[in-house]
Amino acid sequence: MTDRYAVIGNPIAHSKSPRIHAAFAAQTGQDMQYDALLGRLDGFAETVRDFARNGGRGLNVTIPFKLEAHALAHERSARAEAARAVNTLVFEQGRIIGDNTDGAGLVQDLTHNLGLTLKGARILLLGAGGAARGVILPLLQLAPTSLCIANRTVARAQELQHEFAPRATSMGHNCALIGCGYDDLAGQSFDVVINATAASLSDDAPPLPAGLYAPHAAAYDMVYGKGRTPFLQQAAADGAEILADGLGMLVEQAAEAFTLWRGVRPNTAPVLQTLRAELSVS
Ligand code: NAP
C-alpha cells in the first residue's frame, strides 16, 4: 500500500509542500502520496489521529497548528523542545513523534545554498515568535561571534536571551547572546540579518536604524513569494550585499522532513530552481 503523508494547516490551499514532496518522491523513487489537509480550527488533534488511523505515516504542520502539534506529540526531538513548536510528525506503532525542521532548513539555506559562513559572524535575528525561537539553537551551533535577537515587544526578546543563554554558554563558543529592542540597534553592524517577524506578510518592515549592514553583509527574509519585501528593500538601500527570501528555507525544511520519514535525502537544487522560476513569472 502506498505510504500517505500530508501537510495540515488552515488555510492550506496555497501550500507548496505537496508539490515539493511529490518532486522529492519522484526524484528518489519513493512510493508515497502527499496531500494538503485543511485542519479544523477546533479539531486539529482529531484530524491528526484520523489521518494516522487511516494509514498516514507522517504530517507536516503549518500555521496555526505548530503549538498544538507540540502538545499532541508523545515524544519530541531536542530541537522541537527548544523551538516549543512542531512542524513534522511521524506516526510509529501508535505513537506520535514530533520534530521541528525549520531551523535546520534555514541553516542549510544560509550555509549551503547561499554559501554564507556563520562561524564568527555577527548575526541579528528580528522577531521573537515561533519562527525566531525555532532557529536560535541551530544558529548558535554554528558558533557565531554574537547573536542579537531584537523584537518590537522587547520583553519577548529578553525572555529568549535568558532562556537560551545557558545553552549558548554550554556550547563553549563564547557567543554573546543578546535580547533587545529595535532602538538599541543604533550604531551596531551585523554580517547577517534575518527577518523572522511576520511584518512582511502585511507589507511592513521592522523599524531598523540605518547603518546596520557590515561590508558584504546578507539580509534574509523568512517570508517568500512577496517579491522584494519592505525589509529587503530597506536592506538593499542600507548596503546589504546579499538579499534572500525564505523559499530556500521552505524547500530545505521539507527535505529534512522527507529524510526523516523516508531515510533518503533528496536533492533540493532542482526543486528550488523550479519554484523560483515560477515565482518570478507570477
Ligand atoms: P509569530 O509567532 O506570530 O511571531 C510574529 C513575530 O513578528 C513577533 O516577533 C512579532 O512581534 C513580529 N511582528 C509582527 N508584525 C510586526 C510588525 N509589523 N513589525 C515588527 N514586528 C512584527 O509568527 P512566526 O510563526 O514566528 O512566523 C514569522 C514569519 O516567519 C511568518 O511570516 C512566517 O511566514 C515565516 N516563516 C517562514 C518559514 C519558511 O519556511 N520560509 C518557516 C516558518 C516561518 P511582537 O512580539 O512584538 O508581536
Side-chain angles (χ1 to χ4, degrees):
M1 204 169 100
T2 301
D3 290 339
R4 291 183 60 214
Y5 299 87
V7 57
I8 181 168
N10 189 327
I12 201 59
H14 67 286
S15 176
K16 296 188 186 305
S17 293
R19 291 198 43 224
I20 294 172
H21 283 277
F24 289 165
Q27 187 197 94
T28 56
Q30 293 289 307
D31 181 17
M32 60 183 273
Q33 182 187 331
Y34 188 109
D35 300 304
L37 210 58
L38 181 67
R40 271 206 349 261
L41 293 177
D42 61 351
F44 171 74
E46 198 187 323
T47 312
V48 170
R49 289 196 190 103
D50 277 352
F51 184 77
R53 253 196 308 270
N54 291 317
R57 300 286 304 273
L59 283 171
N60 282 136
V61 182
T62 188
I63 291 171
F65 297 125
K66 290 185 186 183
L67 298 183
E68 275 188 77
H70 181 270
L72 188 67
H74 300 117
E75 288 167 44
R76 289 174 287 267
S77 66
R79 57 193 184 178
E81 286 296 20
R84 285 201 206 147
V86 157
N87 80 334
T88 304
L89 293 171
V90 185
F91 306 122
E92 248 174 42
Q93 293 160 354
R95 293 187 68 72
I96 302 176
I97 298 150
D99 200 349
N100 191 312
T101 64
D102 281 337
L106 172 74
V107 159
Q108 181 72 2
D109 196 32
L110 291 172
T111 58
H112 186 76
N113 300 340
L114 297 170
L116 302 180
T117 302
L118 299 187
K119 186 171 184 318
R122 292 159 297 173
I123 303 176
L124 171 60
L125 180 63
L126 306 170
R133 169 183 284 283
V135 301
I136 294 173
L137 206 56
L139 288 174
L140 286 173
Q141 282 162 344
L142 296 173
T145 292
S146 60
L147 175 60
C148 178
I149 306 160
N151 194 44
R152 182 174 60 182
T153 309
V154 182
R156 294 185 77 193
Q158 289 170 336
E159 271 168 35
L160 290 178
Q161 175 192 342
H162 292 129
E163 185 181 328
F164 284 91
R167 316 278 287 253
T169 308
S170 71
M171 285 177 195
H173 305 314
N174 287 327
C175 170
L177 182 65
I178 302 125
C180 65
Y182 296 130
D183 290 345
D184 302 311
L185 299 173
Q188 300 190 55
S189 66
F190 299 90
D191 304 301
V192 181
V193 181
I194 301 163
N195 184 16
T197 75
S200 300
L201 294 177
S202 45
D203 280 329
D204 201 0
L208 301 175
L212 215 52
Y213 293 88
H216 315 298
Y220 190 99
D221 200 330
M222 283 195 190
V223 166
Y224 59 87
K226 303 279 281 181
R228 195 175 272 199
T229 60
F231 163 74
L232 290 175
Q233 288 171 31
Q234 193 184 55
D238 201 24
E241 191 173 290
I242 298 165
L243 303 174
D245 70 6
L247 190 67
M249 176 176 173
L250 176 78
V251 174
E252 295 298 345
Q253 63 77 28
E256 186 79 8
F258 187 92
T259 307
L260 204 68
W261 290 329
R262 309 301 300 181
V264 49
R265 184 166 284 277
N267 178 8
T268 52
V271 180
L272 184 52
Q273 205 174 21
T274 305
L275 292 178
R276 178 68 66 206
E278 286 174 10
L279 276 184
S280 65
V281 292
S282 65

